[in-house]
Amino acid sequence: MNRIGEGLLGASIPLLVIFYLSVAPYSKVEESFNLQATHDILTSGIPFQNVREYLSANYDHMTFTGSVPRTFVGPLALAGAAWPFAWLAHGVDKQILVRAILGLYNSFCILSYRNALSRVFGRGTANWYLLLQASQFHIMFWASRTLPNFFAFGFSTFALRYLLPRTTSFNPSTPSGQTAIRREQASLTILTILGIVFRSELAVFLSTHTFLLFLTQRLTRAQVLSSGLLGAALGLSLTIPIDSFFWHSFPLWPELRGFTYNILHSSASNWGVSPWHFYLSSSLPKLLFNPLTYLVCLPFSLLAPALRPSTLTLITPSLAFIALYSLIPHKEWRFVIYAVPPLTAASARGADYIWTRRAKSAVYRTLGLTLVVSIAASFLASAGLLAVSSSNYPGAEALNRLHAMAHGTQPVIKVHMDTLACMTGVTRFLQVPERTVTRVDAQGRVEEGAETRWVYDKTDREDVLLRPEFWAGFDYVLAERPERVPGAWEVVGVVEGFAGLRVVRPGDKEGEGEGDGMERWSRPWAYGEGPWVPVERWVGCEEGILARMERIGRKVTGGWWVRMRMEESIQILKRGKEPVVLGVQLDGDGNMCDIHGPSE
């Protein structure tokens, strides 16, 4: 591959991350804390007087604290990076902005790791690494999402570039050899900081890499100890002052609090327990995505004598980390994402080995062609998963639709958002900032050019929600179950969400089958502080990408296809007129019920 092709391949990583972000710009509940905290810092600023009162009035975490405190280091850095852009471009979509910055940071670290692979193993391995990495759906999709794991993922990948196998020309007595040793020490320092600040599982990841450095005598005990102490000092000097300030509790080390709660007290098991083999049998195949990565490429890199030593150096610490972390009952794929780059790099070595020998025999030629086809298939499968994932945010779409239909209709609008809405995309970035309404006409409607003041409520206490008087102050409600909302309400909108897949058989037409609804899919791309302009979703109309893919695909498969099934998820309720109560009477069961007259 020439330099132009390599440049385009490198550019595919940030371009894919931004593309995934643009198609699925909303967030789920797992990302909520970091995204809300970034919003609060970016929008409300950092107080230096009356700190507790200011934080309580303007910061989301003071009301919705969560089970354990989490670090503000990532949100503070992200808000700081986004602030100049938000200041220069006032109308910029801030949620897109902060997620794009996070995604580009992770993309830069992936490309940095690729450059190190090129230096150590050659350009072929580096190019295959990018192809395999770019076609892995989960890394590209989640790279811009504000999980704490992806605040740590970029720097952990950057640190791993200095833990790659040493080149044969390495000489510790030369200046370049001393530089390499200092970089290995820096890697341990970085991983220590990340484990202290962001994710405690990185302590296990650090331990397995440190053990290998001892075993291969790449670093001395003193060098490892000094690197760890420096990382611990830097990490604690970051997290304790920052988090003690924002949580108004001193001294506070959130990750230690989380480790104690989840691991020592075994509270993480409340969120589910998985078998010991979960990471190997489920998480890694999902993360590596392309089956040939671990069924063909990785075995080749281990079986080829020339590749085996360096491949073992690449994968042994990561596999040991996964094995040790499998002892913890509660398991999630995001806990082991740090192992994906080295495992992908080892697979890229096997892919390059096969590809460079494709002219030597029919076996290698067939395997090489199969690899190319599998990568193309992985990109297509990623596109399908992206379409499914973009349909999983009915809460955000409902709030945007409500803004579009109700903004400017009255001076103040109060809306309650239920748990499902808040879990499926509603964030403070999507809310309209409070402004003072200055112009209202005689009928109480907002005059053209004036602003509606929106008031949002996310109350989730069951005892409060059961009180009829609680609902009296709301103009609109976003509800999964309207029957649980007392009073007279009118359904003014229904938002659908993903409900599974449906097999399309030969003879079925588009739109046939309950809940297909492809022609109805649309949502606003611009939201938050800007205008709410509905545009056709890229998967949503007759001429959309998925519709064209379906037509072409069904010609190839003889009419068979898989289509997304949608179902009603969130209903937009508007307060209706209460009926006049004329009196009471007994119903057939002897219970008293109201006698209603015409609505007022």
Side-chain angles (χ1 to χ4, degrees), residues 213-250:
L213 293 175
F214 267 133
L215 194 65
T216 57
Q217 299 181 343
R218 288 174 62 171
L219 292 179
T220 65
R221 182 180 301 175
Q223 290 169 331
V224 169
L225 186 60
S226 62
S227 302
L229 289 175
L230 177 61
L234 292 174
L236 291 174
S237 66
L238 276 174
T239 186
I240 290 179
I242 291 174
D243 294 312
S244 297
F245 172 83
F246 280 105
W247 287 97
H248 213 70
S249 173
F250 184 86

Side-chain angles (χ1 to χ4, degrees), residues 68-72 196-197 239-240 243-244 247 252-260:
V68 292
R70 283 154 286 182
T71 183
F72 267 82
I196 286 175
V197 175
T239 186
I240 290 179
D243 294 312
S244 297
W247 287 97
L252 177 63
W253 178 5
E255 203 52 34
L256 177 61
R257 187 81 64 86
F259 177 81
T260 303

Side-chain angles (χ1 to χ4, degrees), residues 383-384 387 518 521 538-539 544-551 561 564:
M518 288 184 65
W521 290 356
W538 73 284
V539 297
I545 293 176
L546 284 190
R548 289 197 294 270
M549 286 176 58
E550 177 175 331
R551 285 198 297 273
W561 196 251
M564 284 185 283

Side-chain angles (χ1 to χ4, degrees), residues 240-525:
I240 290 179
I242 291 174
D243 294 312
S244 297
F245 172 83
F246 280 105
W247 287 97
H248 213 70
S249 173
F250 184 86
L252 177 63
W253 178 5
E255 203 52 34
L256 177 61
R257 187 81 64 86
F259 177 81
T260 303
Y261 177 83
N262 290 316
I263 306 301
L264 299 185
H265 295 164
S266 300
S267 298
S269 298
N270 297 334
W271 303 103
V273 174
S274 301
W276 65 268
H277 55 79
F278 175 81
Y279 289 132
L280 292 175
S281 62
S282 177
S283 295
L284 282 182
K286 178 167 67 175
L287 290 170
L288 296 176
F289 203 61
N290 186 339
L292 296 190
T293 300
Y294 48 89
L295 295 179
V296 175
C297 298
L298 193 55
F300 260 91
S301 64
L302 286 169
L303 294 174
L307 306 184
R308 187 181 304 121
S310 56
T311 299
L312 288 172
T313 302
L314 268 176
I315 68 173
T316 299
S318 295
L319 293 179
F321 157 65
I322 292 171
L324 289 172
Y325 217 69
S326 295
L327 299 176
I328 297 176
H330 177 66
K331 300 175 178 66
E332 295 183 37
W333 63 265
R334 60 191 177 96
F335 298 159
V336 296
I337 57 166
Y338 324 104
V340 171
L343 292 175
T344 304
S347 300
R349 297 213 70 199
D352 185 53
Y353 183 86
I354 293 170
W355 186 253
T356 55
R357 285 160 177 76
R358 66 188 184 280
K360 293 185 176 181
S361 71
V363 174
Y364 284 116
R365 189 159 52 250
T366 302
L367 286 175
L369 179 61
T370 305
L371 275 177
V372 173
V373 173
S374 71
I375 288 176
S378 296
F379 277 114
L380 287 175
S382 294
L385 288 176
L386 178 59
V388 169
S389 299
S390 68
S391 303
N392 272 325
Y393 304 95
E397 297 197 19
L399 184 58
N400 283 334
R401 191 176 298 181
L402 175 59
H403 285 153
M405 71 171 63
H407 191 71
T409 59
Q410 58 193 71
V412 180
I413 295 177
K414 297 182 179 180
V415 54
H416 171 78
M417 304 168 293
D418 74 357
T419 300
L420 181 64
C422 294
M423 292 178 64
T424 57
V426 169
T427 69
R428 300 190 106 186
F429 278 111
L430 269 64
Q431 297 178 4
V432 180
E434 284 198 25
R435 298 186 179 95
T436 302
V437 179
T438 57
R439 298 192 303 277
V440 180
D441 63 20
Q443 286 73 39
R445 296 176 62 88
V446 180
E447 292 184 358
E448 185 177 354
E451 293 284 350
T452 294
R453 185 168 71 90
W454 288 79
V455 180
Y456 302 90
D457 178 78
K458 298 189 293 184
T459 300
D460 58 357
R461 287 179 49 189
E462 191 68 22
D463 59 326
V464 175
L465 297 176
L466 290 175
R467 302 173 188 167
E469 63 270 19
F470 167 77
W471 302 94
F474 296 111
D475 303 294
Y476 291 91
V477 175
L478 305 184
E480 176 189 11
R481 299 176 60 187
E483 68 274 10
R484 300 194 63 184
V485 182
W489 299 89
E490 175 189 357
V491 178
V492 294
V494 177
V495 177
E496 296 180 335
F498 177 74
L501 299 173
R502 186 177 78 85
V503 176
V504 181
R505 294 174 172 79
D508 290 348
K509 296 180 180 180
E510 183 175 324
E512 289 185 352
E514 183 179 354
D516 281 350
M518 288 184 65
E519 74 285 352
R520 298 192 303 271
W521 290 356
S522 62
R523 66 172 166 87
W525 281 84

Side-chain angles (χ1 to χ4, degrees), residues 184-234:
E184 290 167 354
Q185 289 183 271
S187 295
L188 299 186
T189 299
I190 292 172
L191 291 175
T192 304
I193 294 172
L194 297 176
I196 286 175
V197 175
F198 291 110
R199 293 297 307 180
S200 58
E201 67 261 17
L202 279 163
V204 182
F205 193 65
L206 168 67
S207 300
T208 57
H209 280 86
T210 302
F211 182 77
L212 180 66
L213 293 175
F214 267 133
L215 194 65
T216 57
Q217 299 181 343
R218 288 174 62 171
L219 292 179
T220 65
R221 182 180 301 175
Q223 290 169 331
V224 169
L225 186 60
S226 62
S227 302
L229 289 175
L230 177 61
L234 292 174

Side-chain angles (χ1 to χ4, degrees), residues 557-575:
T557 62
W560 292 90
W561 196 251
V562 176
R563 184 183 296 162
M564 284 185 283
R565 183 169 56 84
M566 307 294 287
E567 67 179 8
E568 294 182 357
S569 295
I570 303 287
Q571 296 196 28
I572 304 172
L573 307 180
K574 180 181 179 180
R575 176 166 296 283

